[in-house]
Amino acid sequence: MAAFSAWFWNERFWLPHNVTWADLADPAPGVEYPKAGHLLTALPLALGIFAVRILFERFIASACARSLHIQPGAGRRAQPNAVLEKVFISITKNPDSRHLDGLSKQLDWEVRKVQRWFRHRRNQDKPSTHTKFCESMWRFTFYLGIFTYGVQFLWQTPWMWDTRHCWYGYPYQVMTRGLYVYYVTELAFYWSLMFSQFRDIKRKDFLIMFVHHLATVGLISFSYVNNMARVGSLVLFVHDTSDFLLEAAKLANYAKSQRLCDFLFILFGVVFFITRLVIYPYWVLNSTMFESWTIVGPFPSWWLFNFLLLVLQVLHIFWSYLIARIAIKAMLRGKVEQFCSPSRMRAGDPLCLSIFVQ
């Protein structure tokens, strides 16, 4: 274990040349540098956020949904049938014509009646509009809250206005209370999303979403440990900027407020394009790749960090293509419904979005 720890925390990977962990271990009184142990606070905080979400959805979001006439009804359920239930669970949820004919003869039902049973049974497993509204309202509330905090915090920081301050004095940069709260809260939220996946209704992209949340947790933790939290806060802020708009559009869609939904989705798309395709590469990547090279110089974890940020930019381009395609459909057909890409595109964090289709 000691050998693995020494290998994993190798100073030549994590830190610039001529800097050691010992240099960061004993700062001056009143000064605190990031330490990996600080991130453990995120785990109990994630459980707290998870508990708050349950209470919020049950007592606040549910009441809002009912006030908009979105009822928690389960919808029409398939009549109990042991034979069909066994086929549904063990063999297929979408039987082909051969299975339909065989089941029709076995049960002495018309083929259309068997098809109807499977359709109703599939619908039972789908979350109701009420459930989706409550989930989106929780995400909207958190995203708006963390975005507001990010604006208030970063407005007072020098690196918000001059990104070279992300690297001046690196890695001897003090971890302020405001930056620590921002980072740990974001980290705890993504931990809570991983917890909630096992409680929520299972979706087809369960594994993809789990890997996505795990990668996000890893990137946030990685940037904290090697004290790239200043530029990391800018990355978080850029992604938080559009997330609450997407959730607001979904809320309007569930409430059947079509014009508001259309407006919010268009606004989301514009903000997404500006933040992900303009601000992120020219503000964040320019700083991490070029300003840091000049001020600090490259080292192994620097290369990995920039590689991950470039992968993120590739995803931004892919997601922007999908949104642009959606916008074209909007102009041609003009109605918003819910659509999920194969990976339920999160726009920087829920991967499911609303698109314009007939």
Side-chain angles (χ1 to χ4, degrees), residues 61-79:
S62 182
C64 291
R66 287 189 176 92
S67 70
L68 294 170
H69 307 293
I70 303 174
Q71 300 300 326
R76 188 169 184 178
R77 301 180 65 86
Q79 68 183 81

Side-chain angles (χ1 to χ4, degrees), residues 136-208:
S136 287
M137 188 170 178
W138 161 249
R139 291 176 184 265
F140 168 79
T141 302
F142 178 85
Y143 292 143
L144 180 60
I146 200 67
F147 170 73
T148 303
Y149 178 85
V151 170
Q152 181 272 331
F153 167 70
L154 290 172
W155 197 270
Q156 306 172 52
T157 63
W159 62 87
M160 174 75 166
W161 311 106
D162 183 355
T163 52
R164 290 174 296 182
H165 282 277
C166 292
W167 311 106
Y168 289 151
Y170 180 85
Y172 304 102
Q173 295 175 338
V174 177
M175 174 54 63
T176 65
R177 180 174 179 80
L179 182 55
Y180 176 76
V181 169
Y182 192 26
Y183 241 70
V184 170
T185 302
E186 291 268 16
L187 180 60
F189 178 71
Y190 284 102
W191 273 118
S192 74
L193 290 182
M194 293 175 66
F195 300 152
S196 67
Q197 275 197 287
F198 296 94
R199 168 185 173 269
D200 295 341
I201 295 174
K202 296 295 186 295
R203 295 181 171 89
K204 293 180 180 179
D205 62 349
F206 175 88
L207 182 60
I208 294 174

Side-chain angles (χ1 to χ4, degrees), residues 220-233:
I220 293 174
S221 302
F222 176 80
S223 62
Y224 185 91
V225 169
N226 67 354
N227 205 7
M228 292 184 179
R230 290 187 177 183
V231 74
S233 66

Side-chain angles (χ1 to χ4, degrees), residues 265 273 316-328 339 341-343 345 353 355:
F265 185 80
F273 291 141
H316 292 165
I317 294 171
F318 173 68
W319 290 334
S320 297
Y321 160 74
L322 293 181
I323 294 174
R325 190 171 66 178
I326 291 165
I328 292 174
F339 169 82
S341 69
S343 61
M345 185 173 61
L353 60 120
I355 70 164

Side-chain angles (χ1 to χ4, degrees), residues 107-123:
L107 298 171
D108 194 23
W109 284 12
E110 293 182 1
V111 171
R112 183 172 297 180
K113 185 176 180 180
V114 177
Q115 289 176 318
R116 189 183 306 117
W117 188 95
F118 276 93
R119 183 172 66 253
H120 292 163
R121 183 62 182 83
R122 287 194 299 268
N123 289 338

